[in-house]
Amino acid sequence: MEVEGNRLSVFRGIPYAVPPVGERRWKPAEVWSLPWKGVRGAKVFSPIGMQPLSGAGPYYDRLRALQMSEDCLYLNVWTPADLSGDDLGSLPVMVWMHGGSLVNGAASDPRFDGAELARKGVVVVSINYRLGVFGYFAHPELTAESPHHASGNYGVTDQIAALQWVQKNIPAFGGDPGNVTVFGQSAGAYSAIYLAASPLAKGLFHKAIVQSGYLKFLQPLKRAGYGMPAAEESGVKFARSVGAGTLRELRAMPAGKIMEVVNQAEVADSSGYSTIPNLVLDGWVFPAQLYEIYERGEQNDVPFIIGLTSNEGHQMTETTDWKAHLPSDAQDYAKMARARYGDLADEYLSLYPAGDPTTIDDPAWIAPYRDAFCTWSHQKVVRESRHVSSNVYLYYFDQRSPWQGRGGAAHSTDLPYVFNNWLGIHPTQADVRLGDIIRNYWVSFAKTGAPEFAGGPQWRPHKDKDRAYMAFRDGKAVPGKNLLPGAFEFWERIFDERRKSGDLPWTFISIGVHAPEKRQ
């Protein structure tokens, strides 16, 4: 434990679950309950989870500087120091889940230092969880050994175990186990959405903040569907690709050897296991597809803050083969749209008119990814909240600053505003001002369930009548109504058709110019 300035105590590398190594590889997390000898220093972050580190840029540079291990199920705590007996068990708790497509990332990434939020009177917890093939791997032998007849979703059980640890232990750090908010960005936001849909997480948290989340199709455990093989089939093919015939052989294989295979570009084709993992529709952690759970009102009834950035689609231009699909001119762009969207093409072209469709900077390319990836996902969660009693607060992050690069307000650019960690960034005065506004809203929501603070604009919950939301732009919070009209309705129709067809993909990798050429 270390005491930082402004009287904060920081505890790093606290084990919350039994290490998932050896025979515990690909087993559900088991909450740590063993004593340790003497005093644990809690001064050093734990290793990060096994993950590919082949990317470029400062994000991957930071990860490469950290030790990697299967033994990664640890958490970190930031809390006000010198708490009195009356304070113990009274402070709101905010549990951060990092992003990284469920493949990369770490709680120890310095962008996620919780000190600034903790100074506002909350206890901040950040967690590691298993990633990639170590966190989301299904196999017939794993299903057979499970008392729940399920496999996959081990990273989800890690997050649930961390929340169980918080329920049992957070009073010792000043936190109130009856007032826990989960929050995350990208895959961490996706985590908040799916934890709210899992019956195993019921009662473990009481609010959720979703920053640029999404809804994905859950891969069925035992049958193919929506252009994907069964999760067990993917697991069998992956085992063959690493030269393992049995689960015993897989568990005996060094983690580094498995990562070598995952890092090969041909893995997805040769083994059927995508390097971007899918959650599994296993009947235990998830009893149904996420969208079905929300449509039926079976989600855990907790208040949400949920929102997206205005240029989310920019990330997709960097992760998909856009240049191979660029049209020659606006007429060619319209032809491509009509081939993919048929009788809905006029509506598509009205929502996404071509400017200069020969460049990936054109909003005609970027906006559909934003709307199908995030706008539809967020508004699906928001609109299905009519089935429950808790309020949902929608936001739109549209702050544009010189450091953000092309298009501004891209995926992840909201992170420094939340944590006030501007690593390698030179924020403007408007950035600093907006960061304080956002942190005030986030902390007040964690404390009371309503994002409100003295001097801040009123943020009204989203209701079908006026569809209120809060825009963050120009260094200010600006109330608005009816965000991105028509976008949700269009993609709801598209995705509903694909779901009913049973064999068409409907996630963000199959939209816009990457959509199937015939709607069925």
Side-chain angles (χ1 to χ4, degrees), residues 295-310:
E295 285 178 343
R296 298 197 295 244
E298 295 173 355
Q299 68 269 40
N300 300 324
D301 189 357
V302 298
F304 271 79
I305 286 178
I306 185 168
L308 67 153
T309 70
S310 58

Side-chain angles (χ1 to χ4, degrees), residues 209-484:
I209 300 175
V210 175
Q211 301 174 216
S212 301
Y214 45 90
L215 282 170
K216 287 178 67 177
F217 169 74
L218 305 186
Q219 190 172 10
L221 182 63
K222 293 183 174 293
R223 62 177 179 82
Y226 298 96
M228 302 171 65
E232 287 187 343
E233 179 185 346
S234 295
V236 169
K237 289 182 178 179
F238 180 81
R240 290 173 184 162
S241 73
V242 298
T246 67
L247 177 60
R248 183 184 180 88
E249 292 175 357
L250 271 174
R251 282 185 168 142
M253 188 170 292
K257 173 62 175 178
I258 294 174
M259 284 307 304
E260 287 178 9
V261 177
V262 169
N263 287 335
Q264 295 173 3
E266 67 270 22
V267 162
D269 294 330
S270 66
S271 73
Y273 181 85
S274 171
T275 54
I276 303 297
N278 288 285
L279 300 183
V280 178
L281 180 57
D282 62 352
W284 175 50
V285 178
F286 301 111
Q289 291 288 345
L290 300 182
Y291 72 87
E292 293 177 326
I293 292 171
Y294 281 93
E295 285 178 343
R296 298 197 295 244
E298 295 173 355
Q299 68 269 40
N300 300 324
D301 189 357
V302 298
F304 271 79
I305 286 178
I306 185 168
L308 67 153
T309 70
S310 58
N311 197 24
E312 296 279 4
H314 178 263
Q315 182 200 36
M316 302 304 121
T317 68
E318 299 175 343
T319 57
T320 56
D321 185 17
W322 281 62
K323 293 182 179 179
H325 294 80
L326 288 175
S328 57
D329 53 30
Q331 184 176 1
D332 190 28
Y333 169 71
K335 181 179 178 181
M336 293 171 67
R338 295 191 186 283
R340 287 162 173 79
Y341 296 102
D343 59 338
L344 294 180
D346 286 340
E347 185 177 355
Y348 182 90
L349 292 169
S350 177
L351 285 168
Y352 312 112
D356 180 5
T358 63
T359 170
I360 60 174
D361 289 326
D362 192 324
W365 294 122
I366 296 175
Y369 272 64
R370 174 199 65 200
D371 292 343
F373 179 55
C374 284
T375 303
W376 174 81
S377 297
H378 291 103
Q379 295 212 20
K380 185 69 173 176
V381 171
V382 168
R383 297 190 187 202
E384 301 303 347
S385 69
R386 67 184 185 274
H387 300 301
V388 297
S389 61
S390 296
N391 284 329
V392 176
Y393 299 87
L394 179 66
Y395 75 87
Y396 189 60
F397 183 87
D398 193 27
Q399 175 77 358
R400 299 173 185 236
S401 296
W403 60 268
Q404 291 174 325
R406 193 175 76 215
H411 192 69
S412 302
T413 55
D414 55 334
L415 285 171
Y417 298 84
V418 173
F419 288 95
N420 199 31
N421 296 325
W422 302 88
L423 302 176
I425 295 170
H426 299 288
T428 66
Q429 289 184 347
D431 290 331
V432 173
R433 184 169 62 249
L434 183 59
D436 196 52
I437 290 170
I438 290 174
R439 288 190 298 279
N440 282 335
Y441 278 130
W442 268 219
V443 170
S444 69
F445 178 77
K447 290 179 178 179
T448 69
E452 56 188 19
F453 65 95
Q458 183 186 14
W459 188 349
R460 294 190 293 113
H462 187 284
K463 303 293 183 184
D464 285 340
K465 183 178 180 180
D466 61 7
R467 298 180 180 175
Y469 72 96
M470 186 67 77
F472 297 120
R473 61 166 63 98
D474 300 325
K476 298 179 291 187
V478 183
K481 295 181 180 180
N482 198 19
L483 176 62
L484 300 172

Side-chain angles (χ1 to χ4, degrees), residues 187-203:
Y190 179 35
S191 300
I193 290 174
Y194 65 59
L195 286 173
S198 176
L200 301 189
K202 186 176 179 63

